[in-house]
Amino acid sequence: MPPKQKFSREEIIAASLNITRREGLTGLTARGLGAELKSSARPIFTIFKNMEEVHQETIKAAKAIYSGYVQKGLEEEPAFKGVGTAYVHFSKDEPKLFQLLFMTEKNGISTELSDILPAIDENSNRILESVQKYGMSKEKSYKLYQYLWLFTHGIATLYATGVCRFTDKQVSEMLTEVFVSILRKMKEESEVENDD
């Protein structure tokens, strides 16, 4: 008869998220997780094969939290700006989870910018759809998405590392100015291409 489970899978992942929020994924050890649960590490392994599996489930849980931010951003008007703002808020509210998802070396991912967004963000197709509402081709929309992600990622990284803070108003103004500038330039380029 298998040993009785002292903790549920959800309780263990909640505890692992607490540790990761404080110390990052490198701070998530079997001993530390046991201490967080006020137990030995042994009950963890009645549910999980090893700590690698705990790490993967913790990353999955962090992605779900981030996806909640994206969903909230997509419900704003304009949706694309809402997503950018949500991305910055996620980095401010959850700096260690942001670092885990967006500032950790990714092995096996192409270094081409066009390949990075779908590889690191499961929400990239939904976000791209919010950009396409501005009447551009999919290619131009993706280019705009890439440029704005680079800019927004810079702001979010400053938050996640504690280097710099902005007010919500400043973030909103910066995102709008950059978006409008790039959109105007891309529309001008499209007009020139159409005239040729």
Side-chain angles (χ1 to χ4, degrees):
M1 191 162 126
K4 185 173 185 258
Q5 295 175 352
K6 188 173 180 180
F7 300 103
S8 70
R9 186 176 193 86
E10 293 75 22
E11 289 171 318
I12 294 171
I13 295 305
S16 71
L17 271 172
N18 287 339
I19 293 169
T20 305
R21 282 177 161 131
R22 287 192 311 267
E23 303 173 35
L25 198 63
T26 55
L28 181 56
T29 63
R31 180 177 287 165
L33 187 51
E36 185 77 16
L37 292 164
K38 295 176 181 34
S39 171
S40 71
R42 202 165 172 190
I44 298 161
F45 301 110
T46 62
I47 295 180
F48 295 97
K49 286 182 250 170
N50 53 39
M51 280 307 290
E52 177 57 29
E53 187 180 0
V54 174
H55 284 191
Q56 291 309 311
E57 289 300 314
T58 303
I59 292 168
K60 220 187 278 186
K63 285 180 179 180
I65 292 167
Y66 166 68
S67 290
Y69 278 78
V70 171
Q71 182 57 43
K72 189 175 176 189
L74 287 170
E75 291 167 3
E76 292 182 22
E77 199 55 50
F80 186 57
K81 182 178 179 183
V83 170
T85 303
Y87 189 78
V88 172
H89 283 171
F90 178 68
S91 73
K92 180 170 63 169
D93 299 343
E94 300 283 2
K96 294 292 187 188
L97 298 185
F98 180 87
Q99 290 171 24
L100 171 66
L101 298 181
F102 301 110
M103 295 176 67
T104 304
E105 186 177 347
K106 309 286 188 227
N107 295 324
I109 293 180
S110 164
T111 55
E112 293 296 316
L113 183 58
S114 60
D115 298 328
I116 291 171
L117 288 173
I120 66 170
D121 192 341
E122 296 168 352
N123 300 286
S124 64
N125 284 335
R126 293 170 48 211
I127 296 168
L128 179 58
E129 287 171 12
S130 75
V131 182
Q132 288 180 276
K133 293 177 181 171
Y134 291 94
M136 294 183 296
S137 68
K138 187 171 184 173
E139 292 76 26
K140 291 259 186 205
S141 296
Y142 193 65
K143 188 174 181 181
L144 178 62
Y145 174 22
Q146 289 174 332
Y147 287 169
L148 284 164
W149 177 79
L150 286 168
F151 182 76
T152 307
H153 184 70
I155 295 171
T157 300
L158 291 172
Y159 266 110
T161 56
V163 170
C164 194
R165 296 271 189 240
F166 303 99
T167 65
D168 287 348
K169 184 178 182 213
Q170 288 172 313
V171 170
S172 177
E173 289 172 353
M174 287 188 286
L175 293 178
T176 298
E177 286 175 23
V178 171
F179 175 79
V180 168
S181 298
I182 296 172
L183 183 63
R184 183 180 301 129
K185 176 140 179 44
M186 291 177 91
K187 288 198 172 192
E188 286 170 4
E189 288 173 358
S190 292
E191 288 170 10
V192 169
E193 288 169 8
N194 290 337
D195 289 344
D196 288 345

